[in-house]
Each structure stands twice: as C-alpha cells, then as structure tokens.
Amino acid sequence: MTVRDRAATELRHRILLGSLAAGDRIDLDGLAAEFGTSRTPIREACLDLANDGLVRLAPRSGITVLGITNSDLLDNFELMASLSGMAAGWAAERADDVERARMRSLSDAVAEASTTGGDAALANFEFHRSVNQSSHAPRVTALIARAARLFPERLSDVVPEQVSCSLPEHAEIVDAIDAHDSRLARSVMEGHFRQAADRLRQHLAGRVDDRSGGR
C-alpha cells in the first residue's frame, strides 16, 4: 500500500469506530509526522474520505470530520450481509475445486493467526475476498468493494471477541460451499455479518446516535 492508501485506511477506521468523531479537525502536520511523510499524501487520503462523505474540506476551516452515525454504520453491516450472502451462495454453485481448497486454507489461516498472534484482520480479509471472487460475479464483488469502504476492517480492535466468535462461522461457510448448498452458504454468510453487527452494537451503546452525523 502507498502512504496515501495506508493513511486513508487508518483514518477511515478511526472515523468508523469513533476515535475521530464528528466535528474533530484533521491535523495534517501531526498525521504527516505519524506516517513519516509530507502533508501531500495525507491531504490526498482526506480527498478519498471526502468522496465517501466522512470528512469535509474547506479552504479556510481545513478538514473537518463529518463522521458516521451508529445507525448508518449498522445499516452498512446489513448491506454487506446481503451482498456477501449473495456471493457465498453463488460460490457454492460456481467455485471449482482449487477455489474451494483455497477458501478452506484461508479459513484455517484466520484460526492460526488468532492463536499465534498473526494478523487475523488481514487473514480475515483474504478469506472473505476468496469467497467473493469464487462467486464469479464481478458486479457483486464491485458492489461489495464499494460498501466495504464504510466497513471497519479491524473490528476486533473494539470487539475483542469478534475473531474467536467468527471462526466457527467461517467453518460453516466453507462447509456449505463445499456441499454446493447455495441456500445454506448464503444464510450462514448473512448471519455471520449480522452477528458481528450485534457484537458491535453492544460496544457502540455509549455513542450518541445522531442521524445528522454532523452533516
């Protein structure tokens, strides 16, 4: 990833999970020092966030966080559940033997990372990407990629139990795909996201849910 990409990913994560709240100002100099770069990649990262409606750029007031409400964040989980469920269902119908083996291997990699101190978030991303790609539905995968821009990549940062709870769910998804059971694969994947949303909802209970989101 470029510095711009890393900065955009990290700032998006902080906004989605509330450590950068609506009304906060983006400190370009501070972030440039944090990422060991000039202000330019940080400003470019903020342009990406502005396109997602997460920050506002103004000539005089600088860059202000617009944030996202609890309800909007949880609504996005529902969207991801539907799209990812569709992809899993099609993967059960369309994946070949090589793709099925890869999905199982990546599911195992998430479990291994969770017990060895590896990067479980990255392993989780790779697992879900393999399921999505195995659907052989490029329009759906493009929609998932777009929706994922407003989806917290490292949910375990605020929901510590997320990784351990997701492991049996991953195994069920792979088993359903291996069994060519598209209906079950879709149902389990949808439940996977909705259960994650329920866990996040408990941790967000203290955040003010203001539909205006500072907009």
Side-chain angles (χ1 to χ4, degrees):
M1 297 177 69
T2 65
V3 174
R4 169 182 176 164
D5 291 338
R6 287 194 295 110
T9 297
E10 178 59 29
L11 290 174
R12 183 177 290 109
H13 177 75
R14 293 177 188 180
I15 292 170
L16 291 177
L17 293 181
S19 58
L20 281 174
D24 287 349
R25 299 285 294 278
I26 298 293
D27 179 0
L28 292 177
D29 290 328
L31 288 168
E34 178 181 344
F35 285 93
T37 187
S38 66
R39 290 164 55 106
T40 299
I42 306 301
R43 183 175 290 278
E44 291 173 344
C46 290
L47 287 173
D48 290 343
L49 299 180
N51 290 334
D52 291 331
L54 295 177
V55 303
R56 178 176 60 239
L57 282 66
R60 296 182 180 179
S61 59
I63 304 170
T64 304
V65 174
L66 296 177
I68 186 169
T69 67
N70 290 0
S71 293
D72 287 339
L73 182 58
L74 293 168
D75 285 350
N76 202 52
F77 269 83
E78 188 65 30
L79 176 60
M80 287 290 286
S82 296
L83 291 172
S84 298
M86 188 180 300
W90 282 338
E93 298 174 357
R94 302 171 181 176
D96 59 29
D97 290 343
V98 173
E99 289 169 327
R100 293 174 192 280
R102 175 169 171 75
M103 282 183 273
R104 186 167 295 280
S105 175
L106 290 171
S107 175
D108 292 341
V110 179
E112 181 179 358
S114 70
T115 58
T116 62
D119 192 339
L122 177 59
N124 182 71
F125 169 80
E126 293 291 349
F127 167 70
H128 280 279
R129 182 167 67 171
S130 73
V131 175
N132 297 337
Q133 291 175 338
S134 297
S135 72
H136 298 278
R139 291 185 180 180
V140 170
T141 55
L143 288 171
I144 291 172
R146 180 62 184 173
R149 293 174 66 85
L150 296 178
F151 189 84
E153 293 185 1
R154 299 192 307 278
L155 185 59
S156 56
D157 283 3
V158 292
V159 187
E161 67 273 22
Q162 172 59 26
V163 173
S164 60
C165 290
S166 69
L167 297 181
E169 296 164 8
H170 286 177
E172 289 180 46
I173 292 165
V174 173
D175 287 344
I177 291 173
D178 276 349
H180 302 272
D181 190 333
S182 60
R183 182 178 297 181
L184 179 60
R186 180 170 186 163
S187 175
V188 175
M189 182 65 84
E190 289 176 348
H192 177 54
F193 277 89
R194 287 169 181 150
Q195 289 173 52
D198 287 341
R199 296 174 198 125
L200 179 60
R201 185 179 290 108
Q202 296 176 24
H203 286 265
L204 293 179
R207 279 178 57 180
V208 176
D209 188 2
D210 176 4
R211 274 280 183 184
S212 68
R215 300 175 190 175

